[in-house]
Amino acid sequence: MSVDFRPIATSLMRAIWRWATLCACLIGSIQAVFSCFHVQNEFEMQVRDVGRSNIPLLSISIWDIEPDIVQRQLDAIAEKPQIGFVSLTVSTGQVFTAGESPPTDKLTAVRFDIPPPGRPSGHLGRLDIYENPQAFYREMLYNVAVALLGYGILTFLICTLVVYFLKRELADPLRHIARFVATLTPDRLTTPLKLERPDGHVRDEIDLVVDGFKVLQDGVNGYIANLDELVAQRTQELETAMLSIQHLSSVDSLTGCFNRRLFNERIVQELERAERYERPLSVAFCDIDHFKQVNDLHGHWAGDQVLKAVAGIFQRLLRSDVDWVARYGGEEFVIVLAETGLNEAVSTAERLRLAIEQEVVFCNDKALNITASFGVAQYSEGDSVQVLLQKADSLLYVAKQAGRNRTLPSP
């Protein structure tokens, strides 16, 4: 796996955590600003309420000239957490104070005029109340901390739920699919992709991907099956073509007999087998009599028909699984008679000769009577192919010199 690789779900989770935290800080900051204004207003209202609620008692105490009571009342006001310092200046010039935080230039007093008891106006003195800065900051920090903590907890819970569902619905299925794809090999292409989803799950894009894999694998299965069938068919056609080519390369196209090339290959095997197992083997050279006259008088087409007729006689009368015949050249044929001694070979050649003599070939409504001469020789130990063929060919020559249409065996 590449070092630059990062799962989609992990990237989404990180992005959600980062942006959610940023949004929580932004909203918390705005909330903190509003909390400051709110705390400031509340603080001022509480200070004014303290002052208004104590003015009637202070008015009576000043009117009755009770300095001790006035001082106790100021001490009681100064004990309020919102109050930092209290100063009362009586119209006679006497001053009373209470509180632990002396006023500074930065603080502004909330001032109240004290009228005589039971009168809405008049002046017995002036009450100055200063806020407690430490209490104000504590209150403000408390409100800001509560706001930030609330947004932090809410953000954490939302992000945790989002990450949980992302992992369950997206990360785990994608990781399973990625592992499946990584393990695919040519021999496992058709292994089905199985993906377990939670109970009550509703189909989504992940299921479409799984369905796509199934369609793809079904297609691959079908293609492989058709490919095997196609390969078998092509192999059969190739084998048939090879057999046809082999047959054409070894058979004379006019007569259907073996050609001379195959004869030269096969006769060697026949001689080796005869010598190894000491079995008899004979060959017969056959030449159609006066074949040149047939071509000259009736045309080469008639000559072809004569050759086909003679070859047909050979195929009918010879043993199909033992004997075989090749067109040696022109109108000459060589008949190989395996497991056959000279006398039996002469009988076979004579039977062939008589059949040829009795065969009538019709060419252009003309009947042609043909004959053939045979020279028959038996293989003797040590004979080469050339020697054996030479013996049969010599006998054929003698047969032709003796008047043709006859069979001459070797002495």
Side-chain angles (χ1 to χ4, degrees), residues 127-143:
L127 176 64
D128 293 327
I129 301 177
Y130 296 89
E131 296 176 354
N132 185 357
Q134 289 77 13
F136 170 75
Y137 292 133
R138 284 196 300 271
E139 183 70 16
M140 186 180 67
L141 290 176
Y142 173 78
N143 282 273

Side-chain angles (χ1 to χ4, degrees), residues 257-274 279-286 314-315 317-328 332-342 344-346 348-349 351-352 374-379 384-385 388-389 392:
C257 299
F258 292 131
N259 57 26
R260 186 164 179 174
R261 185 188 66 80
L262 184 81
F263 171 81
N264 291 334
E265 295 176 357
R266 192 169 176 179
I267 189 61
V268 175
Q269 300 172 0
E270 291 287 0
L271 260 66
E272 291 177 351
R273 184 182 301 109
R279 303 297 298 174
L281 171 67
S282 298
V283 296
F285 244 117
C286 171
F314 293 155
Q315 292 170 358
L317 298 183
L318 291 174
R319 298 172 297 180
S320 60
D321 55 343
V322 178
D323 304 330
W324 54 280
V325 60
R327 185 183 178 187
Y328 198 73
E332 288 185 332
F333 296 87
V334 177
I335 303 166
V336 180
L337 304 168
E339 305 287 341
T340 304
L342 180 61
E344 188 178 355
V346 171
T348 301
R351 189 170 64 254
L352 295 173
F374 290 80
V376 182
Q378 183 177 356
Y379 168 74
S384 64
V385 174
L388 179 60
L389 292 179

Side-chain angles (χ1 to χ4, degrees), residues 227-245:
L227 185 62
D228 291 340
E229 183 178 353
L230 185 61
V231 169
Q233 181 181 353
R234 292 291 183 270
T235 302
Q236 180 63 35
E237 292 176 355
L238 182 60
E239 291 176 353
T240 302
M242 291 298 294
L243 291 176
S244 178
I245 292 173

Side-chain angles (χ1 to χ4, degrees), residues 174-185 188-194 213 217:
L174 286 180
R175 190 179 297 110
H176 183 88
I177 293 174
R179 285 198 297 266
F180 172 79
V181 173
T183 57
L184 281 180
T185 56
R188 297 186 73 251
L189 286 178
T190 57
T191 302
L193 171 59
K194 296 180 179 178
F213 265 100
Q217 290 178 315

Side-chain angles (χ1 to χ4, degrees), residues 353-393:
R353 187 190 65 78
L354 293 174
I356 294 172
E357 184 180 33
Q358 296 172 0
E359 185 79 7
V360 179
V361 180
F362 292 92
C363 298
N364 297 327
D365 298 332
K366 293 181 179 179
L368 300 178
N369 294 316
I370 56 176
T371 60
S373 301
F374 290 80
V376 182
Q378 183 177 356
Y379 168 74
S380 299
E381 184 177 359
D383 286 350
S384 64
V385 174
Q386 289 75 16
V387 171
L388 179 60
L389 292 179
Q390 182 62 40
K391 289 194 295 185
D393 189 43

Side-chain angles (χ1 to χ4, degrees), residues 161-235:
L161 289 175
V162 171
V163 169
Y164 169 73
F165 285 110
L166 271 179
K167 185 175 183 301
R168 192 186 69 168
E169 300 294 336
L170 184 61
D172 291 344
L174 286 180
R175 190 179 297 110
H176 183 88
I177 293 174
R179 285 198 297 266
F180 172 79
V181 173
T183 57
L184 281 180
T185 56
D187 58 337
R188 297 186 73 251
L189 286 178
T190 57
T191 302
L193 171 59
K194 296 180 179 178
L195 188 63
E196 296 182 357
R197 308 302 300 274
D199 295 337
H201 163 74
V202 179
R203 285 175 56 80
D204 53 20
E205 289 83 351
I206 300 294
D207 296 298
L208 295 181
V209 172
V210 176
D211 293 344
F213 265 100
K214 185 176 184 307
V215 172
L216 178 62
Q217 290 178 315
D218 290 343
V220 171
N221 276 330
Y223 178 77
I224 292 175
N226 293 333
L227 185 62
D228 291 340
E229 183 178 353
L230 185 61
V231 169
Q233 181 181 353
R234 292 291 183 270
T235 302

